[in-house]
């Protein structure tokens, strides 16, 4: 509507930070398919199981809950820099998930029952996962006050807080459901 009302010889073009942001977004979109293939390949090499790889990949979107909440609470716009934060966040979430799934697998190979491996691994890995996530969140605090990097920091902080909690709760439950692991004694009929 605004362009239609302009006098002859005048026009509106995007420029400045909006134009640069669009260029940045397009450059990211160009490499996303290659990045996804690379991540899946590395996960398959590490976990040596398609089902465990898929299980880990299902945890990546958990961070979006925290990202959305943090951006809304702090009234920060979602733009190019926040998108960079989300991409970095996905890597952090996948790392935490791989650590937990790999520990469960190691415990199973050491002779523990599947249930004991899930519960024991989650308990043992909880502290390192929470501490590394906490360190990353605290490191982002100085960036939250900056105009340019603030949205990225808020996105990472919110997403990592929620995703870490959900990874420690949701992933073991999903693992047990995925591989049909039941608590010992849970199959016994009630008297």
């Amino acid at each position: 509507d605004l362009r239609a009302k302009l006098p002859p010889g005048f026009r509106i073009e995007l420029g400045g930070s909006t134009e640069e942001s669009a260029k940045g977004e397009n450059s990211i979109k160009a490499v996303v398919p290659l990045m996804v293939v690379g991540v899946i390949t590395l996960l398959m090499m590490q976990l040596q199981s398609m089902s465990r790889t898929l299980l880990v990949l299902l945890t990546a979107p958990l961070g979006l809950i925290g990202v959305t909440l943090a951006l809304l609470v702090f009234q920060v716009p979602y733009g190019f820099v926040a998108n960079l934060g989300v991409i970095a966040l996905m890597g952090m979430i996948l790392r935490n998930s791989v650590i937990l799934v790999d520990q469960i697998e190691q415990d199973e190979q050491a002779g523990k029952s599947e249930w004991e491996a899930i519960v024991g691994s989650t308990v043992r890995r909880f502290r390192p996962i929470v501490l590394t996530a906490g360190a990353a969140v605290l490191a982002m605090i100085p960036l939250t006050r900056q105009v340019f990097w603030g949205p990225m920091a808020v996105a990472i902080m919110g997403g990592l807080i929620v995703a870490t909690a959900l990874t420690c709760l949701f992933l073991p439950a999903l693992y047990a459901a995925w591989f049909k692991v039941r608590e010992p004694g849970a199959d016994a009929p009630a008297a």
Side-chain angles (χ1 to χ4, degrees):
D1 290 340
L2 181 61
R3 287 184 177 169
K5 295 177 185 176
L6 289 174
F10 288 89
R11 65 176 191 260
I12 298 175
E13 291 184 16
L14 291 177
S17 62
T18 304
E19 182 182 27
E20 292 303 315
S21 179
K23 285 180 187 177
E25 289 283 343
N26 290 334
S27 68
I28 288 176
K29 288 177 189 175
V31 297
V32 164
L34 184 61
M35 180 182 70
V36 168
V37 169
V39 166
I40 291 172
T41 302
L42 289 172
L43 286 174
M44 288 176 63
M45 288 170 55
Q46 172 67 34
L47 299 171
Q48 298 179 351
S49 165
M50 189 62 179
S51 59
R52 284 185 173 91
T53 299
L54 189 56
L55 189 73
V56 166
L57 288 172
L58 287 173
T59 62
L62 296 176
L64 296 177
I65 299 166
V67 169
T68 304
L69 288 173
L71 293 176
L72 288 173
V73 167
F74 291 101
Q75 298 179 352
V76 175
Y78 184 85
F80 173 69
V81 180
N83 195 27
L84 290 178
V86 170
I87 292 169
L89 174 67
M90 294 299 160
M92 294 175 203
I93 295 168
L94 290 175
R95 182 205 63 218
N96 288 343
S97 299
V98 166
I99 289 170
L100 189 53
V101 168
D102 188 55
Q103 185 65 54
I104 293 169
E105 189 175 350
Q106 286 178 20
D107 283 2
E108 287 175 357
Q109 290 172 355
K112 294 183 179 179
S113 71
E114 290 178 313
W115 181 264
E116 188 181 338
I118 293 170
V119 173
S121 296
T122 304
V123 169
R124 276 196 323 282
R125 287 290 163 203
F126 177 79
R127 190 167 140 217
I129 288 172
V130 169
L131 288 176
T132 56
V137 168
L138 292 173
M140 292 291 138
I141 290 174
L143 294 176
T144 59
R145 311 268 305 160
Q146 294 187 0
V147 174
F148 186 76
W149 295 111
M152 180 191 74
V154 169
I156 290 175
M157 289 170 68
L160 198 53
I161 290 168
V162 171
T164 299
L166 290 177
T167 297
C168 291
L169 298 172
F170 172 74
L171 183 59
L174 181 62
Y175 191 98
W178 189 282
F179 293 106
K180 297 177 177 60
V181 178
R182 295 197 175 270
E183 183 177 4
D187 294 330

